[in-house]
Amino acid sequence: VYRYDDFLESLKIMSESGVAGKLFYTGENVNNGYVYGLINIAAFLAQSMKETIQYDACDENSWDLIGGKYPLSNACGQLGQSYQDYHCSDEEKHMECAVDPDMS
C-alpha cells in the first residue's frame, strides 16, 4: 500500500541524495521555483498512473500474456529475458544485488 508520508520521505531522499548521482528535480530557491518542482512531481505521478492503467501493472510492467492474463512469473523475466542474469555496468556495480536462490 502506498502512503503519502512514504512518498514524501522517498521524494526527500531522491531530491537530496538521489541514486547514482541522479536527483529528482524539485525546483530551485528562486521566485516561483517551487512551481517547476510541482510540475515535475505531477508529471511523474501522471506517467506512473498512465503506465498503471495501460499495462495493468503497479510495480512491474508486464508484457507476456498467458491465457489472457499477466502471470506473476513475469517478475522473474519476460520476453525471453532472465532478470537474475542481468549485471550492472562497472559504474553502477555498487547497486547490484546478489541473487538469493532462497527468496520467496
Side-chain angles (χ1 to χ4, degrees):
V1 175
Y2 300 105
R3 301 196 185 279
Y4 183 68
D5 289 340
D6 298 328
F7 170 74
L8 287 180
E9 181 180 343
S10 299
L11 182 61
K12 181 177 184 196
I13 292 168
M14 288 304 302
S15 64
E16 293 176 0
S17 303
V19 172
K22 299 187 186 318
L23 300 173
F24 190 94
Y25 183 74
T26 55
E28 297 175 18
N29 192 15
V30 296
N31 189 31
N32 291 325
Y34 70 94
V35 173
Y36 293 96
L38 291 174
I39 291 169
N40 200 26
I41 291 169
F44 169 77
L45 293 173
Q47 177 67 22
S48 299
M49 193 63 195
K50 177 246 183 213
E51 289 186 8
T52 298
I53 293 168
Q54 182 176 354
Y55 302 117
D56 190 25
C58 60
D59 292 321
E60 172 70 29
N61 283 339
S62 292
W63 303 101
D64 285 344
L65 280 171
I66 297 177
K69 299 194 184 239
Y70 296 109
L72 291 175
S73 61
N74 280 356
C76 300
Q78 305 177 74
L79 305 173
Q81 302 173 74
S82 172
Y83 297 157
Q84 74 178 25
D85 294 327
Y86 283 165
H87 296 284
C88 295
S89 63
D90 287 340
E91 57 270 0
E92 295 182 343
K93 197 62 120 175
H94 65 281
M95 294 187 282
E96 186 171 310
C97 298
V99 174
D100 180 356
D102 298 322
M103 189 161 85
S104 59

